[in-house]
Amino acid sequence: LKLYFSSDQGCFWRGTVMGKRGKKKNKEEKIGVDITGKDLNIRLEMEKATLERLRLQKEKEADQAFREASEMRQKTKEMEADLEREKKTTFAVTADMARQYKALQEDLIHKINSLETTLTEQREELDLAQHELTELIKEKDEEMAYRDETIAQLKKRIEEMSAEFVDMLKSTTTLMKEHLATIDDSEDGDKNNNYLDKMKENNPAIW
């Protein structure tokens, strides 16, 4: 077993040289340096120190990666917790808005139903009032027609009575004339003539 130094890679490595029976030799044998004795110990210490530094660096990197991973997991947990709180808050707000919307919808439906009921009642009252007005107008028209007919009948009756009265007066006057004509006394005759003249003046239609 020998220690070789690679000038290309800048580090030491161990290797064996194949004997005469082997057909192939170590490829690094051509670029390595054969070190033995005291130099070998120094080189081994140097290799040990180098490996130790590499180990510490890797551990440091591993610790850094672990811390970053821990921080990332913590942030992920916090984000998940925030998301869960947001979900709960959003759900609560949505549920509250849904309750308010439902309450508002029920209130509007109640108001609409109340207004429709009021409108129906007012329409019924309006129809009743229009019917009463129509009946009142009809009764008034009938009353006016009855009054006009009554007036016409009264006028006709008055005219008939007037004609009957005129006929009666004419008959009475004729009788009076005939009676006066039979009176022989001249003084009474003059008085009767004066009386007949006054009647002619007062009632020319009869004469």
Side-chain angles (χ1 to χ4, degrees):
L1 178 64
K2 293 184 179 181
L3 182 67
Y4 295 90
F5 177 77
S6 176
S7 60
D8 294 334
Q9 299 178 2
C11 62
F12 295 92
W13 55 277
R14 295 183 182 86
T16 57
V17 180
M18 296 180 65
K20 294 180 180 180
R21 295 179 181 179
K23 293 182 181 181
K24 295 181 180 180
K25 295 183 180 180
N26 195 327
K27 294 181 181 180
E28 295 293 336
E29 184 178 359
K30 295 180 180 180
I31 60 174
V33 180
D34 189 6
I35 301 174
T36 58
K38 184 177 180 181
D39 292 335
L40 178 60
N41 292 331
I42 295 172
R43 299 299 182 186
L44 290 173
E45 291 295 333
M46 291 175 63
E47 182 182 3
K48 180 180 179 182
T50 301
L51 293 174
E52 186 67 21
R53 286 194 300 274
L54 290 173
R55 183 184 67 80
L56 293 174
Q57 183 177 356
K58 294 297 183 183
E59 289 181 353
K60 183 178 180 181
E61 291 176 356
D63 291 339
Q64 181 67 23
F66 179 77
R67 285 193 299 272
E68 291 178 356
S70 298
E71 291 177 357
M72 185 62 67
R73 284 193 294 271
Q74 183 64 27
K75 289 181 178 179
T76 302
K77 289 181 180 180
E78 292 177 356
M79 291 176 66
E80 290 177 351
D82 292 339
L83 180 60
E84 189 66 24
R85 284 193 296 271
E86 287 292 333
K87 286 182 179 179
K88 291 181 180 180
T89 303
T90 303
F91 178 78
V93 171
T94 303
D96 183 64
M97 291 180 66
R99 286 192 297 270
Q100 292 181 4
Y101 174 77
K102 186 176 181 180
L104 179 60
Q105 186 181 31
E106 291 177 353
D107 183 59
L108 289 175
I109 291 173
H110 176 71
K111 289 182 178 179
I112 290 172
N113 292 333
S114 178
L115 290 174
E116 287 180 349
T117 302
T118 303
L119 180 60
T120 302
E121 292 176 352
Q122 290 180 350
R123 284 178 177 175
E124 292 177 353
E125 292 177 358
L126 179 60
D127 292 339
L128 181 60
Q130 288 179 346
H131 179 71
E132 292 178 352
L133 179 60
T134 302
E135 292 294 327
L136 182 62
I137 292 173
K138 182 179 179 182
E139 292 177 359
K140 184 178 179 181
D141 291 340
E142 292 177 352
E143 183 179 355
M144 292 291 292
Y146 176 76
R147 188 188 65 178
D148 293 339
E149 184 179 0
T150 303
I151 292 173
Q153 292 178 356
L154 289 174
K155 285 183 178 180
K156 183 179 180 181
R157 182 58 181 166
I158 290 172
E159 290 176 356
E160 291 176 353
M161 291 177 66
S162 297
E164 292 176 355
F165 182 74
V166 169
D167 292 338
M168 184 181 67
L169 287 179
K170 285 182 177 181
S171 299
T172 304
T173 303
T174 301
L175 292 174
M176 288 179 67
K177 285 180 177 180
E178 292 175 355
H179 177 72
L180 292 174
T182 60
I183 297 174
D184 295 333
D185 191 345
S186 61
E187 183 177 356
D188 291 335
D190 293 335
K191 291 181 179 179
N192 292 331
N193 290 330
N194 292 331
Y195 176 75
L196 291 174
D197 292 336
K198 290 181 179 180
M199 290 184 67
K200 289 179 181 179
E201 292 178 0
N202 292 330
N203 299 286
I206 297 174
W207 301 91

